[in-house]
Every structure is written in structure tokens, then in C-alpha cells.
Amino acid sequence: MKLEKYSKNYTVRSYECDCNNSLRILTLMNILQDIADENAALLGFGLEFCIKNGLTWVGTNYVLEIDRLPQIHENIKIVTWPSARNKFSAYRDFEVFGEDGKSIVRATSEWALISLERRRPVSVTDNLPIKEVVESRAITTLFPKIEEVQEFENQYKFRVRFDDIDINKHINNAVYILWASEAVDSEFRLAHNPAKISINFKKEGFIGEKVMVITEQNAQNTLHSIRTYGDNERELARVSIEWK
């Protein structure tokens, strides 16, 4: 079976947009997750396969390059494909095309296959029914480690909500970008859009936990450490955003 890229058309709805009439980053991330789930199911290793075999997918790294965000009522095309694989990681890439047919967003992501019983990674190559990939990359990256926050301007604190939790009963991957961007000054946000976002996922976070986002800003670059505080303190993720 020769694998091909999977595509889907989508119309941006008004309630999915921010005050600038641009698709919200959180919604973009959820749309990417949705089409990835559809493609994985068609290839035989989606949600039902994972549940049956006591497995789940957990994101470890994400990089997005954004020329511009889709706009209100725009008809876009989203393309995804499994792009690479090794023993303990699977890579999935994405590309979003605007109504004019031009590429406007590119993304690549790295995933680990986890045993639900042991909460530890298992071999991707030994546990998936399909071994092939589409040998094409939307972004070529080795997912470099994001630097630690050294000098921070603010701390944004809150509790993890019920709606922040996904089917794995931990914080949804898409939520980390929302939290990082919310920690940036609103006046700066009104005048800037994200051009590149990188995420290193580190630990699981759970409902009701106390979380803080520590932010360091250098001109048009922001660095964020998302961590729990109080009981069981740990770093959940690091996010780097280049703004334009």
C-alpha cells in the first residue's frame, strides 16, 4: 500500500476567530489534531486501534511556521501525512493552504506511543500495522531543546480546568499554546501575530492542578515555561514564539 497525503477542506467560522478576524491558534491546533485523528484512523492506527491495544499517542514536540493565519469565512485546505518514524517516535506533518491556493501554515510534530497500563513509551515500529511513511517534510527540524527562561517579566497563574483535559485525561496539547500566548501583554498581541511556534512537551498535567506560565520577552520573541506549583511541582512544557 502506497501512502499518500490526506487532505480536507474547511471553512473558518466566525466563532472560531479572534478580535482581528483571524483563526484562533487554539482552534488551529485542534483542527490539526482532528484531521490527524481522521488520517490515523483511515490508516488503521487511530483511536479505536489504540483503545483496543491499550495504547495512546502523546505529543513530545511541535513546530509551526505561520505566514498568516486563516481569516473569517475563508475556505482553506488542510493536508497531513505521517512523515517519518523511528523505534520510539512517529512524525506527522501538516500544511494549510489559503483560499488563493498558497501555503500559509506549515507544521511538524513528534509523537510517542504510550502503554496506558505502564504510562511508558513502547516501540512504534513493533506496534503499528503500517510501516511506511510519506517521505516529505513540511518543515525539516531536529526539534531542538528550547532554552530555559532566565529573566522573566511576569507570572500568569491559574488552575487547570475540566475543559483543558483531553481523552487521555491530561492537558490537551493545544492548550499550551493558548496559555503561552495569553501570558503576553494584550497591547503587544493586538499589534503582532505569531510567525513561528515551537513546543517541547515534558510532563503530563491534570485537572485542578495549579499552573503558572513564566514568560521572558526579548523584542519580538517570547519564551515560556509552563509549570505546576504547590504540590508535585514540575515543568509541563516550554514554548517559544517568534512574533511579527
Side-chain angles (χ1 to χ4, degrees):
M1 171 182 175
K2 185 179 185 303
L3 295 190
E4 296 182 350
K5 296 181 180 181
Y6 178 71
S7 65
K8 184 176 183 178
N9 294 324
Y10 190 87
T11 301
V12 178
R13 299 166 176 85
S14 58
Y15 60 81
E16 296 172 326
C17 295
D18 60 21
C19 61
N20 294 320
N21 290 335
S22 297
L23 183 66
R24 292 187 177 96
I25 290 292
L26 174 64
T27 306
L28 173 62
M29 290 291 290
N30 282 329
I31 291 172
L32 296 185
Q33 286 193 28
D34 185 53
I35 190 174
D37 178 63
E38 285 186 19
N39 186 219
L42 288 171
L43 294 175
F45 49 85
L47 178 61
E48 289 75 16
F49 169 85
C50 288
I51 292 173
K52 180 181 178 180
N53 291 277
L55 303 169
T56 191
W57 289 104
V58 174
T60 55
N61 289 288
Y62 229 110
V63 175
L64 297 97
E65 292 178 350
I66 304 169
D67 296 337
R68 69 169 179 85
L69 289 166
Q71 297 298 293
I72 187 170
H73 298 154
E74 184 174 6
N75 297 308
I76 59 176
K77 182 172 79 170
I78 307 162
V79 183
T80 188
W81 63 98
S83 57
R85 184 178 298 175
N86 57 44
K87 185 173 178 62
F88 288 107
S89 295
Y91 299 81
R92 175 169 286 277
D93 285 22
F94 305 86
E95 193 160 14
V96 180
F97 296 88
E99 199 164 79
D100 59 2
K102 294 181 180 179
S103 175
I104 58 174
V105 178
R106 293 159 300 281
T108 185
S109 56
E110 181 182 21
W111 300 80
L113 194 60
I114 302 293
S115 164
L116 286 171
E117 180 181 357
R118 297 187 293 117
R119 305 303 290 187
R120 296 189 62 81
V122 299
S123 169
V124 171
T125 52
D126 292 344
N127 285 278
L128 293 189
I130 293 177
K131 311 301 180 185
E132 294 80 14
V133 297
V134 178
E135 294 184 357
S136 172
R137 299 301 303 273
I139 303 172
T140 302
T141 178
L142 297 176
F143 298 108
K145 179 180 177 181
I146 297 174
E147 297 178 3
E148 284 190 66
V149 174
Q150 299 295 328
E151 299 180 6
F152 57 89
E153 282 73 28
N154 60 65
Q155 291 183 352
Y156 171 46
K157 295 183 176 182
F158 49 90
R159 281 187 182 270
V160 179
R161 307 172 306 168
F162 181 87
D163 284 346
D164 297 325
I165 303 302
D166 63 17
I167 59 175
N168 291 321
K169 296 182 174 58
H170 64 201
I171 297 168
N172 187 310
N173 290 344
V175 175
Y176 290 104
I177 291 182
L178 172 67
W179 289 347
S181 60
E182 282 293 319
V184 178
D185 178 76
S186 58
E187 292 299 318
F188 180 88
R189 289 286 307 280
L190 285 169
H192 297 81
N193 286 311
K196 183 175 182 179
I197 302 172
S198 301
I199 315 171
N200 295 161
F201 299 104
K202 293 182 170 293
K203 300 287 184 180
E204 293 180 293
F206 304 98
I207 188 170
E209 289 194 291
K210 295 178 181 178
V211 172
M212 63 179 173
V213 182
I214 300 174
T215 298
E216 176 182 347
Q217 183 162 357
N218 180 12
Q220 296 192 170
N221 298 306
T222 58
L223 193 62
H224 311 267
S225 173
I226 301 173
R227 58 184 68 182
T228 61
Y229 66 97
D231 298 332
N232 193 18
E233 293 185 1
R234 62 201 186 281
E235 189 174 37
L236 305 180
R238 291 181 189 175
V239 182
S240 171
I241 308 177
E242 297 176 15
W243 302 84
K244 63 179 179 182

